[in-house]
Amino acid sequence: MAESADDRLRLLIERIERLEEEKKGISDDIKDVYNEAKATGYDAKVMRIIVRLRKMKPDDRREQECVVETYKNALGLD
Amino acid sequence: MAESADDRLRLLIERIERLEEEKKGISDDIKDVYNEAKATGYDAKVMRIIVRLRKMKPDDRREQECVVETYKNALGLD
Amino acid sequence: MAESADDRLRLLIERIERLEEEKKGISDDIKDVYNEAKATGYDAKVMRIIVRLRKMKPDDRREQECVVETYKNALGLD
Amino acid sequence: MAESADDRLRLLIERIERLEEEKKGISDDIKDVYNEAKATGYDAKVMRIIVRLRKMKPDDRREQECVVETYKNALGLD
DNA sequence: ATTTTAGGAGTGCAAC
DNA sequence: GTTGCACTCCTAAAAT
């Protein structure tokens, strides 16, 4: 036959490898932005927190922040 | 000789395995506490956040919370 | 001034968010390839192992495989 | 009442914190064993692989190793 | 049954 | 160079 099982497997693997390279490139780009931000004086760690918060649905986020406050108060945290 | 290299390696591996079992037991205990808390009506996810916050040095924590607030304001978050 | 600090921060965050979306898209593509492979009868877990092995330098890989064999023999594994 | 909700939450949190300390202690012990092994000339990375292999059911392990071989051959790996 | 979520392990980077 | 930190991956549990 024109295409052996071995070739099929190889093609799948190679597609994955190409995609992983692309992904790696983007990860590097993200790292660059954080470094650029840090060089400008921003706190990268906090920026990561912000990105996470913005991923949440606003209502969920506010709800959670509220519960966190409650628990902090219960424990005398802050 | 009394103790072959093979035995030495085996003993090291077995010590690691014993320790990993202990660790697993404790992880399960922690999980139990969270489940108990959840059954009592507490929000386990928020509890995890609290545990993380309490691990930080209070000054660092307050400093970070402050920067988070600043960035949130800058982005109109909240 | 034309560009406030707030805008600068916002732009950085938005660049990160765009890049993370792209990255997410590629991750999904990779997942799709694995699913396609699985549907064809391949073992996705083993494919992941293969991808990892192909990432290594051939000499390093062979060297490591050799040491693994040695340790397995020492422990009567296999 | 004798025990307020705040106390209940605090007690749960403190139990978790104690357990996490124990867990951390064991993790450190494990690290120590790997370091001791390394000092004796063993390859810690390979030891981790061995530990993982020994966790698997022997039949599953052999089956998987077999499929890995097959795929490696299909790709001319080795 | 599918999809999300958390914990753990491993890897690589970075700072010291 | 080594220690710690952060990101990724993967497995397993959980919720829907």
Side-chain angles (χ1 to χ4, degrees), chain D residues 51-64:
Chain D
V51 170
R52 214 182 318 126
L53 291 175
R54 277 168 56 109
K55 262 189 207 142
M56 298 177 72
K57 278 187 288 187
D59 287 358
D60 291 353
R61 176 175 56 76
R62 275 188 284 265
E63 164 67 12
Q64 185 180 85

Side-chain angles (χ1 to χ4, degrees), chain A residues 42, chain C residues 1-9:
Chain A
Y42 290 110
Chain C
M1 59 179 154
E3 191 184 64
S4 79
D6 285 6
D7 288 335
R8 214 154 45 219
L9 179 58

